[in-house]
Amino acid sequence: MMRFLPVSLTTILVELADLDETLALFASLENDPVEGIEETVPAARTLMIRFRPEKIDGQALAAELSRRDLTAKIPPSDKLVEIPVHYNGEDLADVATLTGLSVDEVIRRHTESEFTVAFCGFAPGFGYLVGGDPALHVPRRQSPRTRIPAGSVALAGAFSGVYPQNSPGGWQIIGTTPFKMWDIDREPGALFQPGYRVRFLDMDKASGKISLPVSEAKPRKEPSREGSHFEVLAAPMPALFQDLGRFGQTGQGVSASGSLDRGAFNAANRIVGNRHNTPCLELTLGGFSFRAASRTVIGLTGAPCPVTIETAEGRFTAQTYAPIPLEAGDTVTLGQPPKGMRCYLAVRGGFDVEPVLGSFATDTLAVVGPEPVTAGTILPLKTETNEFSSVAIDEVPAFEPPAMDEVVTLDVVLGPRTDWFTQKGIETLTNQLWQVTPQSNRVGIRLAGEVPVERRDSAELPSEGTATGAIQIPHSGQPVLFLADHPLTGGYPVIGAVAEYHLDLAGQIPVNAKIQFRPIEPFADITAKNT
């Protein structure tokens, strides 16, 4: 029996009986797509589906999905990946105790199993492997580690996996591999792809040499001072290239990322007459400064940073949300914005930057995208003139960015795991003010409140897809509001998600501001619309 749960205004979560049903539904949608579905994220026993509401609504989508056959089995892939392992993990003895096996027997059962990559998530290249020996099913650690080294081979529940990069985590570490699980210079970047078969080899018993996969670094264009460019003079916070997001890479565990204030990003490009989705620089707070090497036009939007231009004739101030002409040698400096967090810098014609996995978005959690921009960076500019539009001179901010002492009200769609919380916990979320802490970043806004959000129990949630705007509640009861660089899947329950029309506002909330969550309607399952 499928259960359909709200995630946001454009996303639903389909809960199924087990992983086999999840993969069967995923395969069914791959083979026979539903018009309007934008993206699907499979997980342990759920499928998160993002859709276009102008094409299909949640109830009609639920009706279509409920008719799908869930008995189909996905044929095994002919691709076998062998991973050499030093079985020296710090939790190996604990796993032996938990399973009642000897350490040698744990290793033997792990190496004699053939696994299948069920899905990817958590981090780029992190594959959730199934099919191992049931005797090795162990719970996550009671206290997650703040840092697990890249290459750690680990177990949790019915899954095995390999951490592709240094990251926090709660899985039981049984060994390490020298293989690079994620390499942006490799095609594909993830060594594990959904459907691949996987076997682990004990390096301490292997005869002969282990050959490591070698990837050839893609040639990168060195910036030149010869042509049109900006020279960055100061960047207290590294500036990040962004566009509207990197879609279609969820199979490798890569989420969309993209600009946090999409309205301001689009307005910056219109101001200078650029094509839609031309990459801009996202600047956090003030202090960014650069010198222009040639005549051009820039636009600045988002947080209202004071803008100072130093020219050969003197110094003057400029306005955001209006075209700003520059001559060779002019220096632009942004001050601290009195409101908001981020502004967007567009230049007429665009920056001459290379896309990564089809997008210019910089994902700070996954470390995917163009290099961050720091002091001393040379930013080459494009100079083609055949695709320009007229500059826009009537742009205005879509909303007034919040100041650090303000209360910001965000509309929330309750779900998908609202019923994991007590009524008191739900009331705490919606009635209490939540302060934005300094630990906030592009991954998420970390919040602090006097009373934590109360759960019904401490049950473990199998990892499932998470959406931008999701309000995840870890064991502390202090919410984390996921922004664009959030992990693709998560293992803590999500009590609600910020409505899409308030995501730009959420991206501009400064540290020490307070947030009030306002539910749009009561939590309820989505019922299939009869057709």
Side-chain angles (χ1 to χ4, degrees):
M1 182 72 179
M2 294 188 207
R3 186 183 180 202
F4 303 100
L5 298 163
V7 172
S8 68
L9 297 175
T10 61
T11 308
I12 66 170
L13 191 76
V14 187
E15 186 178 85
L16 299 114
D18 52 32
L19 181 63
D20 286 343
E21 284 195 359
T22 300
L23 296 179
L25 179 58
F26 180 64
S28 171
L29 291 173
E30 291 282 290
N31 296 329
D32 182 15
V34 174
E35 186 182 9
I37 288 182
E38 291 273 270
E39 200 162 47
T40 55
V41 180
R45 54 183 177 87
T46 58
L47 201 65
M48 191 177 77
I49 301 177
R50 186 169 56 85
F51 60 90
R52 295 173 62 185
E54 69 272 19
K55 294 282 187 182
I56 194 168
D57 63 26
Q59 289 182 310
L61 181 54
E64 170 61 38
L65 296 174
S66 63
R67 293 192 286 267
R68 293 298 175 108
D69 177 17
L70 301 182
T71 61
K73 296 289 183 185
I74 299 174
S77 168
D78 58 1
K79 177 74 172 178
L80 174 65
V81 181
E82 293 187 321
I83 304 295
V85 181
H86 281 300
Y87 283 96
N88 56 359
E90 49 196 300
D91 298 323
L92 185 57
D94 289 345
V95 169
T97 301
L98 287 165
T99 57
L101 304 171
S102 68
V103 166
D104 286 345
E105 184 68 5
V106 169
I107 296 170
R108 186 185 70 79
R109 288 176 182 251
H110 196 250
T111 54
E112 289 184 359
S113 297
E114 182 170 287
F115 297 87
T116 302
V117 182
F119 57 93
C120 292
F122 172 66
F126 189 94
Y128 288 79
L129 310 181
V130 296
D133 191 317
L136 298 182
H137 292 186
V138 290
R140 287 182 174 91
R141 284 172 50 84
Q142 286 293 314
S143 302
R145 292 184 173 90
T146 56
R147 183 183 181 276
I148 292 180
S152 295
V153 179
L155 303 173
F159 297 107
S160 189
V162 184
Y163 283 81
Q165 60 194 43
N166 299 336
S167 55
W171 289 31
Q172 307 274 5
I173 303 170
I174 61 172
T176 57
T177 178
F179 273 22
K180 202 170 181 181
M181 306 307 298
W182 170 256
D183 186 346
I184 200 68
D185 291 320
R186 190 169 57 207
E187 184 55 47
L191 199 58
F192 289 165
Q193 298 286 317
Y196 282 12
R197 294 177 296 128
V198 178
R199 291 188 72 93
F200 293 95
L201 309 174
D202 187 347
M203 290 181 72
D204 299 323
K205 294 181 180 174
S207 55
K209 274 185 149 183
I210 301 288
S211 57
L212 300 180
V214 177
S215 59
E216 190 174 328
K218 295 169 185 171
R220 288 178 169 82
K221 193 161 53 175
E222 288 298 320
S224 169
R225 295 174 180 267
E226 295 301 312
S228 186
H229 67 272
F230 291 161
E231 179 182 359
V232 179
L233 305 176
M237 297 273 287
L240 303 175
F241 282 108
Q242 295 295 349
D243 59 14
L244 294 175
R246 177 179 290 102
F247 298 99
Q249 298 292 337
T250 55
Q252 298 198 86
V254 179
S255 58
S257 187
S259 53
L260 292 189
D261 186 343
R262 294 159 67 92
F265 168 87
N266 287 329
N269 275 320
R270 289 194 299 266
I271 285 168
V272 297
N274 282 346
R275 292 176 64 189
H276 179 70
N277 207 21
T278 298
C280 294
L281 275 180
E282 183 178 86
L283 312 173
T284 302
L285 300 176
F288 190 79
S289 179
F290 64 92
R291 181 186 298 115
S294 58
R295 174 181 290 176
T296 190
V297 177
I298 63 169
L300 285 158
T301 59
C305 292
V307 184
T308 304
I309 316 287
E310 287 192 42
T311 72
E313 285 76 39
R315 174 183 296 189
F316 67 94
T317 58
Q319 298 299 312
T320 56
Y321 284 89
I324 302 172
L326 298 179
E327 297 290 340
D330 287 358
T331 297
V332 181
T333 302
L334 276 59
Q336 181 86 10
K339 296 183 173 185
M341 276 285 286
R342 297 169 175 92
C343 64
Y344 293 85
L345 169 64
V347 60
R348 188 161 173 81
F351 295 97
D352 192 2
V353 61
E354 295 294 320
V356 178
L357 294 180
S359 167
F360 301 92
T362 302
D363 186 329
T364 59
L365 178 67
V367 196
V368 174
E371 290 288 322
V373 173
T374 55
T377 301
I378 301 298
L379 298 173
L381 310 180
K382 291 186 174 179
T383 54
E384 299 93 347
T385 58
N386 57 346
E387 293 183 341
F388 286 167
S389 303
S390 300
V391 298
I393 57 174
D394 55 358
E395 292 291 332
V396 293
F399 55 86
E400 185 74 15
M404 65 173 58
D405 57 350
E406 289 183 19
V407 174
V408 183
T409 300
L410 298 176
D411 286 352
V412 169
V413 177
L414 291 178
R417 299 299 175 190
T418 311
D419 53 1
W420 280 52
F421 299 86
T422 63
Q423 184 58 38
K424 178 188 173 187
I426 297 168
E427 289 170 0
T428 298
L429 177 82
T430 57
N431 295 341
Q432 180 172 264
L433 294 182
W434 298 94
Q435 185 160 19
V436 177
T437 70
Q439 288 72 41
S440 304
N441 52 32
R442 279 185 52 89
V443 176
I445 299 175
R446 293 187 177 272
L447 300 169
E450 286 185 23
V451 180
V453 176
E454 182 181 84
R455 278 178 58 168
R456 290 189 182 278
D457 55 43
S458 58
E460 273 200 6
L461 177 73
S463 292
E464 59 189 28
T466 55
T468 301
I471 305 164
Q472 192 183 68
I473 310 293
H475 291 309
S476 66
Q478 302 292 338
V480 180
L481 168 53
F482 279 161
L483 297 180
D485 290 357
H486 66 87
L488 194 62
T489 58
Y492 294 119
V494 169
I495 194 171
V498 173
E500 280 82 347
Y501 54 79
H502 272 170
L503 287 178
D504 287 359
L505 175 58
Q508 292 288 6
I509 300 175
V511 171
N512 291 331
K514 291 185 171 64
I515 293 177
Q516 169 90 61
F517 292 118
R518 179 173 61 193
I520 296 173
E521 57 188 10
F523 169 69
D525 287 18
I526 298 168
T527 54
K529 183 190 293 180
N530 294 322
T531 54

